[in-house]
Amino acid sequence: MQLPFPIIDFNAELNKEQYAAVTAPPGPALVLAGAGSGKTRTLIYRVAYLLHEGVEPYQILLLTFTNKASKEMLERVEDLTGVSRKYLWGGTFHSIAQRILRVHGELIGLKRHYTIIDEGEAETILKNVIQNLDPKFIKSKNHPKPKVVADLISYARNTCCSPREEASERYPFLEGMAEKIDHFYQGYQKAKLKQQVVDYDDLLVYLLNLLKEQPEIRKLYEDRFKHILVDEFQDTNRLQSDIVDLLSGHHQVMAVGDDAQCIYTWRGADFDNIMRFEERHPGAQIHKIRTNYRSSPEILTLANAVLDAQPTSLVYSKELRAVKPSGELPYFVPVMDTRGQARFIIERIKGLVDEGRDLSEIAILYRAHFQAMDLQMELTRLNIDYQITSGVRFFEQAHVKDFTAQLRFASNPSDVSAFTRFVCLLPKVGPKTAERIHKFTLERASKLEKNFCDELTSEEVLKKVPNDAKEEWPSLAETIREISNDIGEKSPGELVQLALDGWYSTYIREIYPNWTERADDLQSLISFATRYDTMEELLAQLVLLASESNERTPEQARNCLRLTTIHQAKGLEFPIVFIIGLADGTFPLKRIIDTGDLEEERRLFYVAVTRSMEELYMSYPMLNQQGNQVMRLNPSRFIQEVDPSRYETLRIAPSSGYYESA
């Protein structure tokens, strides 16, 4: 289709690096677009350039990771060229797969009118399959719940591994269950096929199988898509990259991404996809876009120093260049502990507001949710409006409230609502059943003149528990009994530790795919509990904090402080950024120091640094309290690797919010 195009002066509207990528000759190309370098602009102008060169709109395939990104890019292409977005093939991997499967899915056994199910519906089907194949599996406290099995299966499919392999390698506590889980997976696939439904993963798996098994269909789309553009290529998993390879048999593919921002391998992203692009597409051109329009030179100097610490053999070399004028050096702020960290941040925020800054210009980034607990408490106490863009407030999280309910009940056995909350976590136990168990136990304890929590462990109470919950009940009841009996003798911190060692620690491992992160949250409550002399004081504070509403009007949400994990902050930018918890053991996390990929943690720090436009504060708590133990922490190794001349150290007076340069 030949359409009139407005004249675009590509040379004038792009910098030299962007221009080289946009006007690249035919053939495979890898565009390494650094943070804040105009990646989206480069992609949009590449599409416009191809259209100006005579490529038909339907011959261009633009693959993105989110519908929002796809919509934004197609709208901007339309504004730039005048070509309606309806003529372009653009969307997420899943939406493009859906489009192709609707036409050709019957070739691999899918009826034309199949339906797509959501995550909850998929889990229900899997649960029914497990119950039919092995009714005892779900009932056992030593077996993972369907949600965990579903997560394992999904990860395996997206990384092109078998669930059997994944169960053995990624979930060591499932040792010995690999074959059984593979059996469940096969049953799950048959059940979906019988119902003619597909889950999100199926869309990509079926598309890959279609392209592999039907050469004529693969050639049809190879011929159709003369140019394939992939956004955020560093985040692609094995399944997605294999689809790209099959669709681009002609090697007319441009992958745009940044190896330094690959931070999602934990959910299946394959770092090798971007690092081995040249192997998979011989003769690929490499374009590096290093001019950064976001951050000050001082912030970029620090970011470059973070990248310099990477093993050079494993990454593409790059150095971001600033166009903004010079500003302040980033600040490194040692503080006494997390409470001191919270006080410093709030004092500095007050100062920034006094200087005319709006709260919406400020973001606080952290590696894990629990690291923001003290800060959230202080912000709430001072009535400073904030929004958490990566979930709910710390004390409003389901696992924190579930855990707290056990402490509440052990302290006050008359608290039926607390009892109901955690007992309903057991299989086949609803509110009415929980209330009946509570009533029976109360009457029996009163009649026998026994302690209510002691009586929870009796055989008579166990008989009132549904059969499916009987296996887990003794562990739960014993945990509550021990906490109750030790109240008044042990400190709140010791009681929290006792609860953590009990039933709930096993429960979260079985029920939550991200149980390690949730365990970290709960572990942080030990330190929190040591601040209180009695369980009553601790519980009062927990309940008050959990009751704080996170609801706000759209106007309030726009004008408030932002708190977020670094993962959720990727792609965002803020004039002023605080990175908190920069101590070894908290960033990088201890469990990753022990077992994980430190390079991905370093890349995560780089992402955090490059969110800042003008001012950057990095705080380091020197002390951490666990129970009665106070441990001295070292600064994060990622800070220690950087020349101290790249930042300015601020010293905080222990008893004040004032600070001064070292």
Side-chain angles (χ1 to χ4, degrees):
M1 150 191 334
Q2 287 297 325
L3 297 173
F5 297 101
I7 296 174
I8 301 174
D9 189 341
F10 291 96
N11 197 33
E13 297 192 25
L14 301 166
N15 66 39
K16 286 184 179 181
E17 294 169 331
Q18 293 170 336
Y19 181 80
V22 164
T23 61
L30 176 62
V31 180
L32 297 168
S37 65
K39 167 182 67 65
T40 301
R41 184 178 183 85
T42 302
L43 272 169
I44 291 163
Y45 274 79
R46 174 65 174 177
V47 175
Y49 177 79
L50 293 173
L51 293 172
H52 271 260
E53 289 296 296
V55 179
E56 300 290 343
Y58 65 83
Q59 295 177 320
I60 301 171
L61 174 62
L62 175 60
L63 290 167
T64 64
F65 271 85
T66 66
N67 288 314
K68 181 182 177 183
S70 172
K71 183 173 181 290
E72 179 191 352
M73 288 188 196
L74 293 177
E75 286 177 350
R76 289 175 62 180
V77 168
E78 183 175 333
D79 292 341
L80 185 63
T81 65
V83 177
S84 173
R85 72 195 78 168
K86 69 181 182 183
Y87 296 122
L88 293 158
W89 275 66
T92 64
F93 279 88
H94 293 86
S95 66
I96 296 299
Q98 150 79 351
R99 192 169 174 179
I100 294 173
L101 290 171
R102 286 294 181 197
V103 180
H104 308 289
E106 290 184 316
L107 294 172
I108 51 173
L110 279 177
K111 300 295 182 185
R112 188 176 182 88
H113 300 293
Y114 67 84
T115 54
I116 303 172
I117 56 176
D118 62 26
E119 188 176 327
E121 293 165 326
E123 188 181 328
T124 298
I125 293 175
L126 177 61
K127 183 177 180 180
N128 291 336
V129 167
I130 295 173
Q131 286 177 326
N132 290 333
L133 293 175
D134 188 351
K136 295 181 180 179
F137 186 88
I138 292 178
K139 297 177 183 179
S140 173
K141 69 175 184 178
N142 297 318
H143 293 164
K145 297 297 186 284
K147 188 175 181 65
V148 174
V149 177
D151 182 73
L152 183 155
I153 289 172
S154 177
Y155 187 92
R157 301 180 80 196
N158 280 282
T159 55
C160 297
C161 296
S162 73
R164 184 195 301 257
E165 293 171 329
E166 197 56 35
S168 301
E169 295 177 13
R170 190 164 178 251
Y171 295 81
F173 66 90
L174 298 181
E175 187 178 358
M177 298 184 206
E179 189 171 343
K180 191 177 287 287
I181 287 173
D182 191 66
H183 190 46
F184 296 153
Y185 166 63
Q186 300 299 333
Y188 174 58
Q189 293 301 100
K190 290 177 183 176
K192 287 184 295 177
L193 194 59
K194 184 178 179 180
Q195 298 178 41
Q196 284 296 298
V197 298
V198 300
D199 60 29
Y200 295 136
D201 297 332
D202 284 328
L203 291 171
L204 300 190
V205 172
Y206 278 126
L207 176 58
L208 182 65
N209 291 340
L210 176 69
L211 298 173
K212 282 182 174 180
E213 298 170 11
Q214 305 293 329
E216 71 283 1
I217 302 299
R218 182 171 70 247
K219 188 170 188 315
L220 172 69
Y221 286 98
E222 277 184 7
D223 293 342
R224 171 185 280 271
F225 300 133
K226 302 299 185 185
H227 294 271
I228 298 174
L229 291 81
V230 188
D231 188 25
E232 301 287 7
F233 192 72
Q234 78 282 345
D235 294 336
T236 55
N237 56 41
R238 173 71 183 277
L239 180 56
Q240 291 162 334
S241 66
D242 284 355
I243 289 170
V244 171
D245 287 352
L246 288 171
L247 286 173
S248 62
H250 45 58
H251 296 296
Q252 299 290 351
V253 57
M254 176 175 282
V256 182
D258 183 6
D259 58 302
Q261 296 188 72
C262 182
I263 59 174
Y264 294 116
T265 62
W266 53 273
R267 68 182 189 193
D270 191 339
F271 190 60
D272 280 348
N273 286 346
I274 195 166
M275 300 309 300
R276 295 180 58 212
F277 184 85
E278 294 173 271
E279 286 180 40
R280 299 172 77 143
H281 300 279
Q285 308 165 60
I286 306 295
H287 298 273
K288 296 181 181 180
I289 304 178
R290 293 164 289 195
T291 303
N292 176 286
Y293 296 92
R294 175 185 297 159
S295 305
S296 70
E298 290 78 9
I299 291 171
L300 292 186
T301 298
L302 175 65
N304 288 330
V306 174
L307 293 187
D308 287 343
Q310 299 178 110
T312 55
S313 60
L314 302 177
V315 296
Y316 291 101
S317 63
K318 67 178 74 65
E319 184 172 318
L320 297 176
R321 299 189 294 261
V323 296
K324 281 189 164 185
S326 286
E328 300 177 18
L329 280 173
Y331 296 102
F332 178 61
V333 191
V335 292
M336 186 61 67
D337 53 22
T338 55
R339 283 185 285 181
Q341 178 175 253
R343 285 194 295 269
F344 158 71
I345 291 171
I346 286 171
E347 287 299 319
R348 184 64 195 117
I349 288 172
K350 288 178 179 177
L352 290 165
V353 171
D354 289 342
E355 294 167 16
R357 292 289 195 173
D358 193 272
L359 284 176
S360 63
E361 298 179 80
I362 306 169
I364 299 168
L365 312 185
Y366 37 85
R367 176 63 181 87
H369 288 288
F370 71 86
Q371 295 166 5
M373 180 177 64
D374 276 304
L375 182 60
Q376 289 183 39
M377 289 172 56
E378 196 66 8
L379 290 169
T380 300
R381 186 180 70 82
L382 296 172
N383 200 29
I384 297 175
D385 212 11
Y386 69 95
Q387 182 182 45
I388 297 178
T389 58
S390 54
V392 299
R393 300 186 179 199
F394 182 86
F395 292 100
E396 294 171 350
Q397 297 176 103
H399 58 288
V400 175
K401 296 181 80 170
D402 290 342
F403 182 79
T404 302
Q406 298 168 67
L407 299 174
R408 284 170 50 197
F409 180 77
S411 182
N412 175 20
S414 298
D415 190 342
V416 181
S417 61
F419 182 83
T420 301
R421 181 174 185 103
F422 65 78
V423 171
C424 284
L425 299 175
L426 299 176
K428 301 296 184 183
V429 179
K432 290 184 178 179
T433 301
E435 288 172 13
R436 282 198 298 269
I437 296 171
H438 184 276
K439 183 180 179 182
F440 176 83
T441 309
L442 182 63
E443 291 174 349
R444 182 174 169 82
S446 178
K447 181 179 178 180
L448 299 175
E449 297 183 347
K450 289 187 174 182
N451 179 281
F452 183 104
C453 294
D454 287 343
E455 194 57 27
L456 284 174
T457 63
S458 71
E459 288 294 326
E460 293 304 312
V461 171
L462 182 61
K463 291 177 183 178
K464 299 297 180 180
V465 175
N467 289 334
D468 289 352
K470 277 185 167 40
E471 189 174 2
E472 290 188 61
W473 182 265
S475 176
L476 170 59
E478 181 60 24
T479 299
I480 300 299
R481 188 192 70 79
E482 289 183 3
I483 299 170
S484 176
N485 289 342
D486 285 343
I487 288 177
E489 296 183 13
K490 292 187 175 180
S491 69
E494 292 172 318
L495 293 169
V496 171
Q497 182 66 69
L498 190 63
L500 284 173
D501 293 337
W503 166 79
Y504 197 69
S505 62
T506 303
Y507 171 81
I508 61 169
R509 190 181 72 175
E510 294 166 356
I511 205 75
Y512 292 118
N514 64 337
W515 67 272
T516 54
E517 288 84 356
R518 294 175 188 263
D520 286 341
D521 287 345
L522 298 178
Q523 192 69 31
S524 71
L525 290 175
I526 296 175
S527 177
F528 177 73
T530 59
R531 302 170 192 177
Y532 302 92
D533 295 326
T534 67
M535 180 59 82
E536 288 76 16
E537 292 175 344
L538 170 64
L539 292 172
Q541 192 62 38
L542 287 171
V543 173
L544 288 171
L545 289 166
S547 67
E548 291 290 336
S549 173
N550 199 30
E551 295 180 1
R552 12 181 96 69
T553 66
E555 187 61 32
Q556 287 175 314
R558 282 195 295 270
N559 295 323
C560 66
L561 184 70
R562 303 301 172 104
L563 275 64
T564 179
T565 63
I566 301 167
H567 283 101
Q568 289 295 320
K570 186 173 175 289
L572 305 177
E573 59 184 30
F574 304 91
I576 302 157
V577 168
F578 292 81
I579 306 172
I580 67 175
L582 273 172
D584 246 28
T586 55
F587 195 0
L589 292 169
K590 184 178 183 303
R591 56 182 167 82
I592 295 182
I593 294 174
D594 294 339
T595 62
D597 182 4
L598 278 173
E599 292 312 308
E600 180 153 340
E601 288 286 286
R602 182 180 284 105
R603 294 194 295 269
L604 193 62
F605 180 50
Y606 168 81
V607 168
V609 169
T610 53
R611 297 313 92 194
S612 178
M613 301 164 69
E614 301 171 20
E615 294 184 37
L616 175 63
Y617 300 85
M618 303 171 291
S619 55
Y620 149 55
M622 294 181 286
L623 300 177
N624 180 42
Q625 186 168 0
Q626 290 289 349
N628 295 321
Q629 275 191 318
V630 178
M631 296 179 292
R632 187 162 184 91
L633 302 175
N634 293 317
S636 170
R637 61 192 65 198
F638 304 140
I639 284 290
Q640 295 186 61
E641 291 167 349
V642 174
D643 188 320
S645 66
R646 308 294 190 195
Y647 54 83
E648 183 176 346
T649 301
L650 298 180
R651 301 293 180 189
I652 310 297
S655 60
S656 78
Y658 295 101
Y659 49 91
E660 59 184 14
S661 298

